[in-house]
Amino acid sequence: MEVKRIQLKNLTNTRDLGGFPAYCGKTVAPHRLIRSGELKNADKSDLDKLKTEYRMHTVIDLRTDAEREQSPDPEMDGVKSVVLPVLDSSFFGIARDENAIDAWMKLFEDPAKDPTEIFKEMYRKLLFSDYVKPYYRAFFDVLLENTSGSVLWHCSAGKDRAGVVAILAMMALGVSRECMIQDYMMTGLFTKRELRKLYFMIRFLVRDKRRKECFRTLLGVKEEYVQQLFDIIDHTYGSDIVYLKSFIGLSESEINTLRTMYLY
């Protein structure tokens, strides 16, 4: 299917997961599950559209404390806010605050290290480290409690953390991996204009060729980041559902409830 973003004035990477084919021939319900980048640039018309047309009930902020302090979410009457910072200091480079970027760049001081491989390792930690377990469990608890309206989750760019959380939600709903990858890769398309501006700035502000490559790795999306996660799940757990049950702690009953709530 074609992945379409929500047409908003100032948010370019906000999209509804509704419409994806899912478990037993059903479809993910529209206006229920929304992923996004940070919300700081949203104007009144953007927020009004999310609150009325998309019935936004809960916003889950996946960012670090530093990121939230630098770019706080706008205040939204009647919308519940949940903070689930799925990164700690070991995840340098996925968080977009200045200190994290500086620390992430230090990981590449060794020219023998491949930036892509380091970033792939960060994705593995994002899905399989013990640190993330309680946050992902809490994410699903929010979905299970959300009897009406939509849940929106976001990080900074809406690429890494928001992308992985979207994958978790789609796993529970029985969406195919092909669709998960398709959704993940769309961030590169929807943020193309912003990325061009950043690459232009990097071209003139950063002289070192390796650092330029590192910035491109930080800002870009690659299918191999996600595919390796599926390979690990298959090897370790055998299936997405077993991963959700064994690692995150979802029960069969909870998975069935999620499908009842978010599929039609």
Side-chain angles (χ1 to χ4, degrees):
M1 69 166 276
E2 182 182 358
V3 181
K4 295 182 178 179
R5 64 184 168 192
I6 299 173
Q7 296 300 316
L8 300 168
K9 182 179 178 181
N10 293 322
L11 302 179
T12 60
N13 193 26
T14 303
R15 52 196 192 264
D16 188 343
L17 297 187
F20 278 112
Y23 176 74
C24 280
K26 295 184 179 182
T27 303
V28 178
H31 297 199
R32 294 284 277 148
L33 300 171
I34 301 172
R35 55 173 293 179
S36 181
E38 64 183 10
L39 304 179
K40 73 168 184 177
N41 291 325
D43 66 6
K44 185 178 184 301
S45 66
D46 293 335
L47 297 178
D48 287 345
K49 183 171 186 175
L50 289 171
K51 289 173 63 177
T52 56
E53 183 178 340
Y54 286 85
R55 301 178 298 126
M56 187 170 64
H57 179 270
T58 304
V59 170
I60 300 175
D61 193 333
L62 304 171
R63 299 175 300 165
T64 64
D65 292 342
E67 289 174 295
R68 293 195 307 276
E69 290 174 4
Q70 289 178 4
S71 302
D73 280 350
E75 294 187 8
M76 294 169 278
D77 292 338
V79 177
K80 181 181 178 181
S81 178
V82 177
V83 175
L84 299 177
V86 296
L87 300 182
D88 64 7
S89 59
S90 68
F91 289 83
F92 297 134
I94 300 180
R96 290 307 201 276
D97 61 273
E98 291 181 4
N99 291 335
I101 291 177
D102 288 342
W104 187 82
M105 286 309 218
K106 289 179 181 178
L107 295 175
F108 299 97
E109 290 180 351
D110 182 354
K113 293 182 178 179
D114 181 349
T116 295
E117 289 303 315
I118 293 176
F119 213 65
K120 285 170 68 175
E121 171 62 22
M122 291 178 182
Y123 265 72
R124 292 193 290 271
K125 290 180 180 179
L126 192 58
L127 203 64
F128 301 110
S129 72
D130 288 338
Y131 175 84
V132 300
K133 282 185 181 182
Y135 294 115
Y136 292 156
R137 175 68 243 194
F139 166 74
F140 280 110
D141 287 341
V142 171
L143 296 192
L144 288 163
E145 294 169 1
N146 184 56
T147 56
S148 64
S150 64
V151 175
L152 180 151
W153 61 89
H154 76 91
C155 52
S156 291
K159 175 172 75 78
D160 307 306
R161 290 162 287 185
V164 168
V165 169
I167 287 171
L168 293 176
M170 289 189 280
M171 282 181 179
L173 300 179
V175 175
S176 72
R177 288 177 174 180
E178 180 182 4
C179 288
M180 295 183 208
I181 291 173
Q182 182 185 11
D183 174 68
Y184 170 77
M185 293 299 293
M186 283 299 101
T187 294
L189 176 63
F190 294 155
T191 61
K192 182 184 294 185
R193 181 177 297 179
E194 290 81 0
L195 289 177
R196 283 178 176 172
K197 292 178 182 178
L198 288 170
Y199 291 153
F200 182 81
M201 293 174 59
I202 291 169
R203 178 182 175 186
F204 290 98
L205 295 177
V206 180
R207 298 300 180 185
D208 181 74
K209 182 177 180 181
R210 181 174 175 80
R211 290 182 68 85
K212 287 182 180 180
E213 181 185 358
C214 293
F215 272 112
R216 284 188 171 273
T217 300
L218 173 64
L219 298 171
V221 292
K222 293 184 179 182
E223 183 175 330
E224 62 189 287
Y225 295 160
V226 175
Q227 185 57 57
Q228 61 149 354
L229 303 181
F230 295 145
D231 293 341
I232 295 170
I233 287 174
D234 288 343
H235 178 75
T236 307
Y237 298 95
S239 72
D240 296 342
I241 294 301
V242 174
Y243 163 79
L244 294 175
K245 291 179 179 179
S246 300
F247 185 80
I248 296 177
L250 285 180
S251 67
E252 185 75 25
S253 174
E254 287 172 327
I255 291 171
N256 289 335
T257 297
L258 288 167
R259 290 173 174 176
T260 299
M261 293 174 66
Y262 293 98
L263 300 180
Y264 72 96

